[in-house]
Amino acid sequence: MQTAEEATRAPEIEAMTPAAAAHCAEAAALRAEIINVGRKLWERRYVDGNGGNISVRLGANYVLCTPTMMSKRDLEPDDICLSDLDGNILAGDRPRTSELFLHLEIYKANSRARAVVHCHPPYATAFAMTGTAPPIGLISEYEIFIGPAAVAPYQTPGTRAFAESVLPFVEDHNTILLTNHGIVCWADTATHAEWLAEILDTYCKTYLIARQIGQPLKPIADDKIGEILALKQRLGFPDARMHRIKEP
Ligand SMILES: [Zn+2]
């Protein structure tokens, strides 16, 4: 949700040239956040080699994003690119990631998405290998932050079909498994989008451990799921089950 401060600040960024926008104080703060999120992804082993990418919206027309062919551990402020919503690089020396188009489709389809993180966390990606999402209704925090994760069909990375594969899901899901590839999460900030990756991967890991205990899993009662949905509605979190508590 846009704050009053953002509402007054955003037009200033729109009035700037791309070069001025790239060097404004807000851009510097967002670059620092992207670098911090990149280090977290690498330290948690959610990105290998040059894998994964991070982007953040800057005002209404610009996006800051990670470059191609760089480890997310090693990013410096000058490595972060400034793009428009069509993927044209407006500032920055390095070429942007080809997967930026996935991020841009999410931004264009859902104005609540202000940051996108794409990565390959092992336990969530194991589910992506099966083309299925983990079962729901087993851990309260997972239900609150994510709930039912979507599963987008496989498409070749970097293609338009890949970028558009998430479109049916971005309104009701902040976390999407990309079949045979990895995951993508959107939120109000890059920090929060990275939290979703952590919450999903830990949930997938814990689920697989629980399956080995040999006891049946005990689901959260349905009326308690209703209470969680009411909480998510107050927090402004998406959930594909929200129709259950909305007025007919
Ligand atoms: Zn990827």
Side-chain angles (χ1 to χ4, degrees):
M1 189 180 293
Q2 196 177 43
T3 65
E5 187 191 355
E6 285 168 343
T8 54
R9 194 173 52 210
E12 292 176 15
I13 290 174
E14 274 110 56
M16 292 177 186
T17 64
H23 293 100
C24 74
E26 185 170 347
L30 293 173
R31 271 196 193 83
E33 186 177 8
I34 288 172
I35 290 167
N36 191 43
V37 164
R39 293 223 174 95
K40 282 186 181 179
L41 291 173
W42 188 85
E43 284 166 4
R44 293 188 70 99
R45 304 188 178 195
Y46 291 177
V47 287
D48 299 285
N50 67 320
N53 31 73
I54 306 155
S55 74
V56 179
R57 291 195 71 169
L58 174 67
N61 303 325
Y62 301 124
V63 175
L64 290 162
C65 68
T66 49
T68 188
M69 295 307 286
M70 273 200 74
S71 167
K72 300 305 154 308
R73 176 186 171 275
D74 299 331
L75 297 169
E76 302 282 350
D78 287 347
D79 298 324
I80 308 300
C81 315
L82 183 82
S83 164
D84 62 17
L85 287 170
D86 294 321
N88 300 305
I89 290 299
L90 306 172
D93 297 333
R94 290 182 180 273
R96 57 153 171 71
T97 169
S98 62
E99 287 180 343
L100 177 63
F101 290 106
L102 172 72
H103 301 225
L104 297 177
E105 289 298 328
I106 293 173
Y107 294 137
K108 285 188 268 192
N110 189 338
S111 61
R112 290 175 296 160
R114 297 293 297 179
V116 172
V117 167
H118 162 61
C119 57
H120 315 135
Y123 293 93
T125 304
F127 274 92
M129 284 182 180
T130 70
T132 63
I136 54 173
L138 295 166
I139 292 286
S140 53
E141 281 222 354
Y142 180 79
E143 296 296 308
I144 292 166
F145 284 95
I146 297 175
V151 182
Y154 179 80
Q155 292 290 350
T156 303
T159 62
R160 177 147 298 280
F162 171 68
E164 293 175 350
S165 69
V166 297
L167 283 179
F169 314 109
V170 293
E171 182 64 28
D172 290 334
H173 302 269
N174 55 14
T175 303
I176 301 168
L177 294 150
L178 306 169
T179 300
N180 304 120
H181 185 155
I183 71 167
V184 65
C185 309
W186 65 260
D188 55 343
T189 68
T191 300
H192 291 164
E194 197 273 343
W195 284 3
L196 295 175
E198 293 185 13
I199 291 164
L200 174 66
D201 200 55
T202 300
Y203 180 75
C204 291
K205 182 179 181 179
T206 310
Y207 170 76
L208 293 171
I209 295 169
R211 286 291 302 268
Q212 296 172 30
I213 292 174
Q215 297 292 330
L217 301 181
K218 186 174 171 52
I220 298 169
D222 205 52
D223 62 318
K224 298 296 182 192
I225 294 290
E227 291 177 14
I228 284 172
L229 291 173
L231 174 62
K232 294 184 84 165
Q233 192 176 40
R234 288 199 297 279
L235 294 170
F237 292 171
D239 193 300
R241 302 165 294 182
M242 205 61 88
H243 59 86
R244 276 208 222 168
I245 61 163
K246 282 187 173 160
E247 295 297 321

